[in-house]
Amino acid sequence: GVVNATKINATEFEERYKRAEELYRQRGYPMSDMLRQDIRESLWNEYVDEAIMTERYENLGIQVSDRELSDILYGENPPQDLRQQFTDPNTGQYDANAAYQQIQALRKQKSTPQYASFFNQYIPAIEKSRQKEKYISLLGTSVYVPKWLVEKMCADNSLRSSISYVNIPYSTVSDSAVKISDEDVKAFISKHPDE
């Protein structure tokens, strides 16, 4: 496929699809045709989003700094999977120090599949998610609706009307009851030559 002049490689798409499917299996989801279709659609939407939004983020200067990424991983509200993995069972609190040590240890194991998965897939996904949050926040705070317009919209939405109408479906009129002559057809064609 091609999105916004960016070609999407079918082989790469299939590889990402297989990884996503395997991830769902590891998490205990039963594979069905519907779930497979949902995974494909979600993956395609990621490609579309990436092709369109990357340029917008660059034009607006929306980036995720190392400090911000560190705050996401080790701050008050870490991603849910990290929170589950590094929550102290005794206190129920997220152990940011344990997460930091584990990620630093993983950083030293560059040739392992875990390193590739974490730093080439997980971290970029977090960064993209944060960029999207910033973009949506930027749009949300840049819109202004005057008070009079809000009041008018509320008033318009609260109006009620009562109507009556007659509906005769075409299927209830038999073909033999309608007579169309050649002149009728010619008159219609002369009035609508483009159609």
Side-chain angles (χ1 to χ4, degrees), residues 160-175:
R160 293 181 182 232
S161 299
S162 178
I163 63 167
S164 297
Y165 64 94
V166 176
N167 180 20
I168 301 176
Y170 289 116
S171 60
T172 62
V173 179
S174 68
D175 291 342

Side-chain angles (χ1 to χ4, degrees), residues 134-154:
K134 287 180 172 184
Y135 183 76
I136 290 171
S137 176
L138 179 69
L139 290 179
T141 56
S142 65
V143 175
Y144 172 73
V145 180
K147 183 179 176 183
W148 66 266
L149 183 58
V150 172
E151 290 170 353
K152 183 179 181 326
M153 288 169 49
C154 287

